[in-house]
């Protein structure tokens, strides 16, 4: 059994890792633990967080949102991932991942499940589908203050709570359904699967 530590941005990502990702990766003989760095993600904060994790686990990954990443300057998602890898001197134990644009993009991959779980109506479903069509994919639903995935969800479903509802909606949809519509996310999960061996 390989031990994988995933450094996560906050409670939402921690719940997702433990509720959805851990059971999936256990099929590959990988035991996952999420380590919450409690927001305000920056390269400086990650620099302090990585060394103890690299010492404690067989492999380490990250799960941070691009939206809200502090002092990202003009770096792209890929450039941030590269910068994170550089912090660990390109260690083979580290698989950096930054979600574009934020965790809630994954929920836009399963609009029917979001509407079902939140007891919404056809109007909300139409708006979610329109946002995805307009952006080109769930992962491209953008990151301005008004149009980021989380702000859109909060506007559509005022009672939406990231920590409570996010993982439940993705669990309802199924990981494979979300992966089929989110290529960057799918690529990351595939890399994690490759660390183990399916039984």
């Amino acid at each position: 059994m390989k031990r994988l530590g995933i450094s996560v941005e906050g409670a939402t990502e921690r719940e997702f890792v433990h509720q959805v990702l851990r059971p999936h990766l256990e099929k590959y003989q990988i035991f996952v633990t999420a380590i919450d760095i409690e927001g305000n993600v920056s390269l400086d904060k990650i620099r302090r967080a990585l060394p103890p994790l690299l010492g404690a686990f067989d492999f380490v990954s990250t799960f941070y949102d691009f939206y809200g990443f502090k002092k990202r300057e003009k770096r792209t998602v890929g450039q941030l991932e590269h910068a994170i890898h550089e912090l660990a001197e390109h260690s083979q134990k580290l698989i950096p991942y930054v979600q574009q644009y934020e965790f809630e993009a994954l929920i836009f991959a399963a609009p029917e499940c979001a509407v079902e779980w939140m007891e919404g109506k056809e109007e909300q479903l139409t708006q979610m589908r329109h946002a995805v069509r307009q952006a080109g994919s769930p992962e491209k639903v953008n990151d301005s203050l008004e149009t980021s995935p989380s702000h859109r969800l909060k506007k559509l479903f005022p009672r939406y709570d990231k920590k409570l509802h996010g993982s439940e909606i993705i669990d309802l949809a199924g990981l494979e359904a979300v992966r089929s519509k989110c290529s960057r996310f799918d690529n990351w999960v595939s890399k994690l699967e490759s660390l183990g061996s399916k039984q």
Side-chain angles (χ1 to χ4, degrees):
M1 182 76 79
K2 297 287 175 60
R3 295 169 303 130
L4 170 65
I6 302 182
S7 177
V8 300
E9 180 165 340
T12 303
E13 293 79 9
R14 185 186 70 229
E15 291 301 311
F16 167 76
V17 167
H18 286 163
Q19 184 174 337
V20 180
L21 210 51
R22 178 190 278 169
H24 175 73
L25 290 175
E26 281 178 352
K27 300 171 192 170
Y28 294 81
Q29 298 299 297
I30 301 167
F31 183 76
V32 184
T33 303
I35 302 91
D36 185 349
I37 67 170
E38 299 178 348
N40 293 314
V41 177
S42 69
L43 290 173
D44 287 337
K45 192 168 189 180
I46 297 166
R47 182 184 285 109
R48 294 190 297 273
L50 284 180
L53 300 184
L54 289 166
F57 293 94
D58 299 314
F59 296 97
V60 174
S61 192
T62 65
F63 190 25
Y64 311 130
D65 289 347
F66 185 64
Y67 179 76
F69 200 108
K70 308 297 182 187
K71 301 177 185 176
R72 73 185 193 200
E73 296 167 349
K74 294 186 178 180
R75 292 183 183 93
T76 64
V77 171
Q79 288 168 337
L80 277 178
E81 289 175 344
H82 182 76
I84 292 168
H85 213 189
E86 283 185 328
L87 295 178
E89 299 179 349
H90 297 278
S91 169
Q92 296 302 304
K93 291 178 67 173
L94 178 64
I95 301 171
Y97 178 67
V98 177
Q99 177 68 42
Q100 183 162 357
Y101 283 97
E102 56 183 340
F103 171 82
E104 278 75 14
L106 304 178
I107 294 173
F108 275 81
E112 299 85 357
C113 294
V115 171
E116 179 184 341
W117 192 264
M118 300 305 298
E119 299 178 343
K121 298 179 179 176
E122 189 68 26
E123 181 184 348
Q124 283 112 320
L125 179 59
T126 300
Q127 289 185 50
M128 289 185 75
R129 287 174 172 166
H130 177 69
V132 173
R133 276 197 308 273
Q134 210 171 29
S137 83
E139 291 178 306
K140 292 180 181 176
V141 176
N142 69 33
D143 72 338
S144 81
L145 187 58
E146 295 80 23
T147 58
S148 71
S150 62
H151 285 91
R152 288 177 189 261
L153 283 174
K154 196 67 179 172
K155 187 174 180 181
L156 286 168
F157 310 106
R159 70 183 186 88
Y160 173 74
D161 182 290
K162 293 176 67 156
K163 182 182 173 185
L164 290 177
H165 301 128
S167 296
E168 298 287 352
I169 292 168
I170 294 171
D171 208 17
L172 177 65
L175 191 60
E176 294 309 313
V178 173
R179 291 175 69 177
S180 71
K181 295 181 181 177
C182 298
S183 58
R184 287 193 84 258
F185 174 74
D186 175 56
N187 186 51
W188 175 55
V189 176
S190 294
K191 287 179 182 177
L192 300 183
E193 291 170 344
S194 72
L195 300 175
S197 55
K198 193 166 187 179
Q199 297 299 301

